[in-house]
Amino acid sequence: MSDPRKDIWLKRKQIGRSKYLIRFGLLPWGLGLTVLFGIIEFLNFYEMNLIWIPIRLIVFAFVGFFVANARWQSMERRYEPSLYKRP
């Protein structure tokens, strides 16, 4: 019986690292957190300062990139340990 998490990883690995970083890092973290913080700002102050939107997009996209990159490397180490063994 196969591990379902490994099957998911193998499917995601097929799309390639750069597309993985965009699809599971930059977009959800960058856009998601920008929207979330915009909603929080609006609920707390009853207005949105538009200058923060591009700043949040950039900052949270960087965060998403590093999170997705760490996850990619973690999954490679977990399911393909032969890539990281020293000769």
Side-chain angles (χ1 to χ4, degrees):
M1 193 165 184
S2 143
D3 182 6
R5 290 176 292 180
K6 184 175 183 178
D7 296 337
I8 291 170
W9 164 244
L10 292 174
K11 287 179 187 175
R12 289 182 179 172
K13 187 176 180 184
Q14 288 179 350
I15 67 172
R17 187 178 189 141
S18 57
K19 286 184 181 179
Y20 176 86
L21 293 175
I22 292 169
R23 188 180 295 171
F24 295 100
L26 298 176
L27 292 178
W29 284 83
L31 294 176
L33 288 176
T34 299
V35 169
L36 177 67
F37 275 77
I39 291 170
I40 290 170
E41 179 184 13
F42 184 76
L43 293 175
N44 285 331
F45 303 114
Y46 302 107
E47 65 181 0
M48 280 185 59
N49 192 350
L50 297 179
I51 193 69
W52 283 103
I53 292 173
I55 295 169
R56 287 181 183 137
L57 279 171
I58 292 168
V59 169
F60 293 140
F62 273 113
V63 170
F65 171 82
F66 288 112
V67 169
N69 192 42
R71 184 156 173 86
W72 177 277
Q73 290 177 354
S74 170
M75 291 299 159
E76 276 192 333
R77 281 189 199 104
R78 178 179 295 160
Y79 296 117
E80 299 172 30
S82 62
L83 295 175
Y84 291 93
K85 286 186 180 177
R86 288 189 164 177

